Amino acid sequence: MGAGAHAHEDLAVPLGRRLARLPVHLLTGGGSGVMTSVSRAFAEVEGRAGLVIGVLPLAEAIGVPEAGSDYPNRWVEVPIRTHLGKLGADAFSRNHVNVLTSDVIIALPGSSGTASEVALSIHYGRPLVLFGDLGRARDLPDTVATASSVDEVIAFVRDALTRTATPTSPPS
């Protein structure tokens, strides 16, 4: 999760490349900024196991003229078109889908949309790590993890996926 207006390539590109080397899919809001940077970096890794998924808000999903060409960004391989709005934590925001569909939330710098995804991650008890702009953590619960390097983010992701993995039981 992260800014739609700013690419933050110094954070998003190395993160996308490293995530692509894990057996994971990448889910973003499918737009510009961080969403494009991390999606491009993830998609360009040869031999990656996962797909780039974009959860699109209503206007972009139905292609209304004012939506522009930001959605989906060209790296989205699986667009999920919704009837939901772009921002916020209200019941009609696609941010609920973004958070609840993700096994781990990585929050890069952003504005109100990213802040609402962070709040929803806390509300729903999803594993969450803030990456970049760690000052955001001062107003959040102590349980919210922070990472100042891609290595720390990847370690958090691996640990969170191990903790949330559900053991499969043989058929009875």
Side-chain angles (χ1 to χ4, degrees):
M1 310 303 164
H6 303 287
H8 294 286
E9 291 203 358
D10 57 322
L11 302 170
V13 170
L15 178 62
R17 289 179 182 148
R18 290 287 300 278
L19 288 171
R21 291 179 176 88
L22 299 177
V24 299
H25 298 295
L26 176 72
L27 183 142
T28 74
S32 58
V34 165
M35 296 173 277
T36 295
S37 296
V38 73
S39 296
R40 182 186 69 244
F42 186 95
E44 289 178 343
V45 171
E46 284 194 37
R48 65 186 158 91
L51 297 169
V52 179
I53 302 165
V55 179
L56 311 182
L58 174 63
E60 290 75 4
I62 62 174
V64 296
E66 61 271 11
S69 59
D70 291 347
Y71 289 88
N73 69 59
R74 66 176 282 220
W75 307 102
V76 171
E77 298 164 307
V78 180
I80 299 173
R81 292 168 174 83
T82 74
H83 64 292
L84 303 167
K86 277 187 189 182
L87 302 175
D90 67 55
F92 297 104
S93 167
R94 70 179 169 149
N95 291 346
H96 293 271
V97 176
N98 293 349
V99 168
L100 290 169
T101 303
S102 300
D103 291 324
V104 180
I105 310 299
I106 304 167
L108 281 77
S111 60
S112 60
T114 306
S116 68
E117 288 163 329
V118 166
L120 288 170
S121 299
I122 295 166
H123 173 75
Y124 290 123
R126 308 304 284 170
L128 166 67
V129 61
L130 302 182
F131 180 42
D133 186 19
L134 301 182
R136 300 175 288 168
R138 72 178 162 268
D139 298 325
L140 298 174
D142 293 340
T143 56
V144 175
T146 60
S148 56
S149 72
V150 174
D151 287 340
E152 291 175 3
V153 173
I154 296 302
F156 179 87
V157 168
R158 287 180 190 270
D159 182 59
L161 291 175
T162 300
R163 282 185 281 120
T164 60
T166 0
T168 56
S169 35
S172 36

